[in-house]
Amino acid sequence: LNRDKEQSPYQVVFFENHIKFQYPLTSLVPFYLLEKFGVVDDWLFQIYRAVCWCAFIGIIIFSNLIAYRLIRRKRPAINIWPDYVVASATIVVAALLFNPITSGIYLGQIQTILALGFTISLYCWMSGREKTSGAILGIMMLVKPQYAIFLIWALMRKKFGAFTCGLM
């Protein structure tokens, strides 16, 4: 990022440094800011790995909240705790065995944070907070533009609040 202003950053990243960086440059803004505050590369990796672990725990928590809502919706009048305990255990095991998330934690990839964002967005959508869901998807689109497909889906469902919040 500290290169000559005349040279394209893509030229430096892809062709000079031979880095296969698949995200848009906006995803580097947090790293740039941390670097400006004096955070060195070793600390940066440790911070990012800790953030990925927190995201992993958040994925499990919000997945459990989603499961609870789904079970409660299907069986509102009876004791759901046996079903919820099984669902919760399944979610934890599935999260631990899901390679994109566990690899993302180990490598410190942004995919883990994006998975948390999507999980929170889905929970917000199910809770009737479509605008919040759209805003989260909009933030995620800054890193991976393909999340725009969900905003198109919101538009087709005539959830204009979610669509507009996602674009802002």
Side-chain angles (χ1 to χ4, degrees):
L1 293 175
N2 295 330
R3 296 284 181 146
D4 184 17
K5 302 285 185 215
E6 299 294 320
Q7 193 173 19
S8 166
Y10 294 104
Q11 175 70 28
V12 174
V13 170
F14 292 122
F15 301 112
E16 290 179 19
N17 296 340
H18 303 289
I19 297 173
K20 296 177 183 175
F21 190 72
Q22 60 191 3
Y23 301 111
L25 289 178
T26 53
S27 63
L28 293 174
V29 170
F31 295 107
Y32 178 75
L33 294 174
L34 286 171
E35 184 181 284
K36 286 295 180 192
F37 286 117
V39 178
V40 293
D41 288 341
D42 292 337
W43 276 97
L44 190 63
F45 183 70
Q46 294 302 323
I47 290 168
Y48 206 71
R49 187 176 273 179
V51 168
C52 287
W53 272 107
C54 290
F56 178 72
I57 292 167
I59 291 167
I60 291 173
I61 290 169
F62 277 94
S63 296
N64 276 296
L65 290 172
I66 290 168
Y68 181 78
R69 288 186 74 81
L70 291 173
I71 293 169
R72 178 57 81 194
R73 184 183 302 165
K74 186 173 181 167
R75 307 169 105 191
I78 61 172
N79 183 9
I80 63 163
W81 284 109
D83 293 338
Y84 181 66
V85 169
V86 170
S88 182
T90 304
I91 288 167
V92 171
V93 170
L96 288 170
L97 296 177
F98 189 58
N99 189 42
I101 292 176
T102 54
S103 293
I105 294 169
Y106 175 73
L107 297 173
Q109 292 181 334
I110 199 166
Q111 184 57 45
T112 310
I113 297 168
L114 293 174
L116 172 63
F118 188 77
T119 309
I120 293 171
S121 178
L122 179 61
Y123 177 74
C124 289
W125 187 274
M126 291 175 66
S127 302
R129 297 184 295 244
E130 288 95 3
K131 290 181 181 179
T132 305
S133 177
I136 293 169
L137 287 171
I139 293 168
M140 292 168 54
M141 282 175 20
L142 292 173
V143 178
K144 284 194 173 185
Q146 57 265 40
Y147 283 111
I149 192 82
F150 294 105
L151 292 181
I152 295 169
W153 177 74
L155 185 63
M156 290 172 49
R157 294 181 57 89
K158 297 181 181 162
K159 301 291 185 178
F160 300 114
F163 177 77
T164 333
C165 286
L167 293 179
M168 295 191 168

